[in-house]
Amino acid sequence: MSEAPAVRLVEVHKAYRRGAQRVPVLAGITFDIAAGEFLALMGPSGSGKSTLLNLIAGIDQADSGDVIVAGENLARLPERLLADWRATHVGFIFQFYNLMPVLTAYENVQLPLLLTDLPRRERRAHVEHALSLVGLADRMSHYPNELSGGQQQRVAIARALITDPPLIVADEPTGDLDRESAADVLHMMQALNRELGKTIIMVTHDQRAADHAHSIMRLDKGVLWSNPDDAAAVQPAGQG
Amino acid sequence: MVWRNAWRHKLRSALTLLGLVVALLAFGLLLTVVDAWYQGVNASSDKRLVTRHKVSLVFTLPQNYLGKIRAVDGVRLTTYENWFGGIYKEPKNFFPQFAVDARTYLQVYPEFRLTDAERDAFLRDRKGAIVGRRTAENYGLKVGDNITLKGTIFPGEWNFVLRGIYSGGRESTDESLFFFHWEYLDETVRQRYGGRRTAQIGLFVSEVEDADDIARIAQTIDAQFANSHAETRSETEKSFQLGFVAMSEALVAAIRAVSYLVILIILAVMANTMAMTARERRAEYATLRALGFAPPFLAALIFAESLLLALAGGVLAVVLTYPVAAFFGAAVSKFIPHFVVGPQTPLLQMAAALAVGLLAAFIPAWRAARVNIVSGLRAVA
Ligand SMILES: Nc1ncnc2c1ncn2[C@@H]1O[C@H](COP(=O)(O)OP(=O)(O)OP(=O)(O)O)[C@@H](O)[C@H]1O
Ligand SMILES: [Mg+2]
């Protein structure tokens, strides 16, 4: 594996302050995620999975340590540049889809493209393509509240890949879906990983969801435990 | 997006809009009331000089001052008038009445417009009178009508024949006044009460040759009567009218204060709506931030939505102000003769709407721009 890792974490610490008390959440996390990986991040509630994912996605800052994603050390980027970086490098999939309720499926998917200088016609082509990839070409003018949860999450997936980012982060993307819709969404994520080569990091509680990934990492009490069945893509370091 | 966001909570937006419209409408009407108050000031000419008793308007001046005032260098023409204060049928039927030296009065006040025939008929008839168009309409008066006023300052019945109905030469001209001949007043007073109250004048009004010279002329006139038993005070028509208004300055100030208070209240309501809205959309703003939209973009969204609502309210209020003011004006025309929406009123209303829109958005926009993405996203769950 000579290729540079998609994500490299070095001695990442993060704590929250609750009153006068410091609550450590991440205690010196060090590991790499290879490009093209589909990683499931598991662990008990409150173990810091979301926190870790947010650091990698560039919407939160570590207290110390380096978070290097796609060759960029996020700790060193000021917020203004970080926003631009997110727009081009990260696709987001949330548990509750987080679509804009006043925008149609088409407009929701188009949203990230408004930050580019792509002309209208090309935007249209991109959006139509992305929506057909998730099987919603016939739902373009529907508003989120006119779509099922599974369909909304598929719109969100189309939005996540519209700018063709190398990395996709998903925080419990199936947490709010029935089993069938969840399976749809997971198959779609697998396809993104396999066919488009996206690096995907997915936080999940659901073992069945995690089974769709290449590898599973477990986070507990602020430290990482790798899945002994699959150590190829993930190299935890400094774990006792 | 802004448009659809604005209508997301239809009831809330509609109520806020209604509040805006009502408040801005009230603001516009109150401004119109204040304008109506200052109407006399706006109607005044900078070439007219008003001379009255130094102590108070209640006291009169002897008629023989006329010659001395006319003789002052720079005075082109002088006329005079007395406040009559009669009652037409019932005390509630109020319109101002003046006994005037008709020929000169119509020269000094060319804005009271009559046809030549009406003018001649008025000047020829000792008991003739003219009245403004508005008052004529209010009481259904027609040329040729016999009109009886019950005197208050000058008790008894006073009979006139209406010889003309004047219209205002300017937008600001008062069309509610009633004029008759000073000679008729003076003769009748002599007959009824004897000589003591005759040859008395309430106001002399002079037209000067040069408006820039008016201060000197005023001084010269007053100097002539200094140390006499009836000293005078001469001032421009404008400051004379302002003096009138000043009596009720406190009232006008109160109306003004209320009009701004109304705006302040609607600002509070609007700010609350915007704050509520922005709080509910925290997760959406956080999502937009995560997708790479910058804080100024979010602030712009909120400002645009607030301004959209406020300006829509402003436009509706301005459009409604005219018919409502017309309706209101008709109802109060007996007391407020010149209830007309001034040219500045719609501008002030829109300015108020703009200010409300901007100020109401300020704090929510600032908050949205600073929203922490992670905690904003957690707000969904
Ligand atoms: N803003 C905050 N202030 C204080 N503590 C926080 C804050 N955000 C997270 N925490 C704490 O940090 C810890 C990790 O939170 P995180 O959301 O990363 O957990 P998680 O593993 O994603 O849990 P879940 O599976 O329930 O989503 C929790 O104990 C949480 O209470
Ligand atoms: Mg979580």
Side-chain angles (χ1 to χ4, degrees):
Chain A
M1 280 223 164
S2 54
E3 214 180 325
V7 177
R8 163 163 283 173
L9 303 183
V10 183
E11 274 300 305
V12 170
H13 288 262
K14 176 84 181 172
Y16 286 106
R17 204 167 288 285
R18 195 172 291 131
Q21 214 181 333
R22 239 177 116 263
V23 184
V25 179
L26 301 176
I29 304 264
T30 299
F31 77 102
D32 287 357
I33 301 172
E37 175 64 81
F38 185 171
L39 174 72
L41 193 55
M42 298 190 72
S45 187
S47 57
K49 305 182 296 293
S50 297
T51 305
L52 183 59
L53 196 68
N54 292 341
L55 293 177
I56 295 170
I59 56 175
D60 201 357
Q61 295 272 5
D63 295 339
S64 67
D66 289 329
V67 179
I68 300 162
V69 184
E72 196 79 57
N73 191 340
L74 303 187
R76 307 246 168 87
L77 279 185
E79 171 52 33
R80 196 172 49 78
L81 294 179
L82 205 51
D84 292 343
W85 178 86
R86 285 196 300 270
T88 49
H89 289 83
V90 191
F92 287 88
I93 303 174
F94 304 96
Q95 179 176 357
F96 299 102
Y97 334 126
N98 289 27
L99 301 175
M100 301 296 128
V102 295
L103 300 182
T104 62
Y106 178 91
E107 292 162 334
N108 264 292
V109 174
Q110 183 185 230
L111 209 47
L113 290 183
L114 299 180
L115 289 166
T116 67
D117 41 20
L118 223 54
R120 197 187 181 82
R121 278 201 15 222
E122 279 182 50
R123 289 205 305 259
R124 177 152 206 105
H126 276 72
V127 174
E128 283 172 357
H129 180 64
L131 277 169
S132 66
L133 276 184
V134 297
L136 288 174
D138 56 341
R139 294 282 193 279
M140 288 200 294
S141 55
H142 287 233
Y143 287 93
N145 63 9
E146 299 165 349
L147 297 170
S148 73
Q151 288 171 330
Q152 288 186 57
Q153 196 59 299
R154 279 146 66 189
V155 173
I157 291 172
R159 180 179 67 185
L161 59 87
I162 192 72
T163 53
D164 199 23
L167 175 68
I168 289 181
V169 297
D171 197 343
E172 303 191 30
T174 58
D176 206 44
L177 295 178
D178 61 72
R179 194 184 301 179
E180 213 167 309
S181 306
D184 276 355
V185 163
L186 288 163
H187 284 127
M188 243 161 238
M189 290 174 65
Q190 276 182 321
L192 293 186
N193 174 246
R194 237 190 334 253
E195 284 150 39
L196 301 175
K198 306 292 179 204
T199 305
I200 301 181
I201 307 171
M202 172 176 73
V203 166
T204 185
H205 274 122
D206 181 3
Q207 185 61 47
R208 233 186 326 253
D211 289 342
H212 285 74
H214 289 168
S215 55
I216 299 175
M217 293 280 305
R218 289 180 196 279
L219 191 61
D220 198 1
K221 301 198 175 74
V223 291
L224 270 181
W225 309 84
S226 75
N227 186 340
D229 301 341
D230 191 338
V234 181
Q235 291 101 37
Q239 307 294 334
Chain B
M1 183 161 180
V2 168
W3 176 257
R4 291 191 211 149
N5 263 332
W7 293 107
R8 205 149 131 192
H9 286 280
K10 290 203 179 55
L11 183 64
R12 184 197 296 167
S13 302
L15 287 175
T16 307
L17 193 62
L18 181 70
L20 274 163
V21 171
V22 170
L24 290 168
L25 185 61
F27 180 64
L29 291 175
L30 290 169
L31 287 181
T32 306
V33 170
V34 173
D35 278 355
W37 219 277
Y38 282 98
Q39 181 267 136
V41 177
N42 295 330
S44 59
S45 156
D46 58 1
K47 279 189 147 188
R48 288 197 286 248
L49 187 66
V50 177
T51 302
R52 53 137 163 140
H53 197 286
K54 189 174 180 180
V55 177
S56 160
L57 270 171
V58 173
F59 299 112
T60 52
L61 298 170
Q63 194 201 4
N64 62 23
Y65 280 18
L66 178 65
K68 287 184 181 164
I69 293 174
R70 266 184 187 157
V72 171
D73 188 33
V75 171
R76 180 183 289 161
L77 193 63
T78 301
T79 188
Y80 48 90
E81 65 185 56
N82 271 11
W83 173 258
F84 182 69
I87 292 166
Y88 177 65
K89 291 183 181 165
E90 287 177 65
K92 72 177 172 67
N93 297 338
F94 174 78
F95 52 88
Q97 302 126 15
F98 298 93
V100 300
D101 181 47
R103 191 175 301 278
T104 52
Y105 198 84
L106 290 175
Q107 284 174 289
V108 172
Y109 288 94
E111 62 263 43
F112 298 125
R113 287 206 183 136
L114 293 165
T115 64
D116 287 346
E118 284 176 330
R119 180 192 163 82
D120 291 345
F122 173 46
L123 294 181
R124 236 180 288 123
D125 183 356
R126 202 173 56 88
K127 293 175 111 179
I130 57 171
V131 72
R133 197 174 49 83
R134 189 182 286 271
T135 296
E137 281 168 11
N138 282 341
Y139 300 98
L141 304 176
K142 291 182 302 295
V143 173
D145 283 357
N146 287 301
I147 295 171
T148 302
L149 297 180
K150 189 135 43 83
T152 53
I153 305 170
F154 308 97
E157 301 238 312
W158 297 75
N159 298 306
F160 306 98
V161 182
L162 192 62
R163 292 300 180 193
I165 294 172
Y166 75 83
S167 58
R170 282 187 291 161
E171 177 69 24
S172 55
T173 305
D174 190 345
E175 290 186 333
S176 71
L177 312 178
F178 179 95
F179 298 109
F180 62 96
H181 294 284
W182 183 87
E183 290 93 335
Y184 176 51
L185 173 74
D186 197 53
E187 283 166 22
T188 312
V189 165
R190 190 189 315 275
Q191 284 165 20
R192 289 186 190 170
Y193 325 113
R196 222 168 49 79
R197 287 180 68 184
T198 58
Q200 295 298 307
I201 301 295
L203 295 177
F204 291 98
V205 182
S206 308
E207 186 184 310
V208 302
E209 313 246 346
D210 180 3
D212 295 334
D213 204 18
I214 207 159
R216 181 196 60 81
I217 296 170
Q219 273 174 8
T220 312
I221 292 173
D222 292 345
Q224 290 197 45
F225 307 113
N227 304 318
S228 73
H229 68 280
E231 294 191 26
T232 61
R233 174 155 146 202
S234 300
E235 57 196 340
T236 61
E237 186 179 24
K238 184 170 226 139
S239 74
F240 173 74
Q241 293 286 1
L242 273 173
F244 248 116
V245 174
M247 294 186 218
S248 35
E249 194 93 297
L251 189 61
V252 173
I255 294 174
R256 276 231 170 87
V258 169
S259 71
Y260 289 106
L261 203 65
V262 167
I263 295 302
L264 218 60
I265 291 168
I266 197 61
L267 172 61
V269 170
M270 179 83 182
N272 183 46
T273 303
M274 290 312 297
M276 213 147 80
T277 299
R279 203 173 313 126
E280 284 170 4
R281 296 193 197 144
R282 252 166 63 93
E284 284 167 45
Y285 297 138
T287 305
L288 287 170
R289 289 285 311 279
L291 295 181
F293 287 91
F297 175 82
L298 302 186
L301 274 184
I302 294 173
F303 270 107
E305 186 175 338
S306 179
L307 282 176
L308 179 72
L309 206 59
L311 294 180
V315 168
L316 276 174
V318 166
V319 167
L320 282 175
T321 298
Y322 292 92
V324 172
F327 177 79
F328 198 63
V332 300
S333 67
K334 287 175 192 169
F335 312 101
I336 307 178
H338 191 81
F339 199 81
V340 175
V341 180
Q344 284 185 19
T345 302
L347 297 179
L348 285 170
Q349 282 174 298
M350 288 313 289
L354 187 73
V356 166
L358 286 176
L359 289 172
F362 197 77
I363 290 173
W366 186 69
R367 283 218 194 110
R370 283 174 33 112
V371 73
N372 177 289
I373 301 177
V374 174
S375 63
L377 287 172
R378 288 166 73 97
V380 203

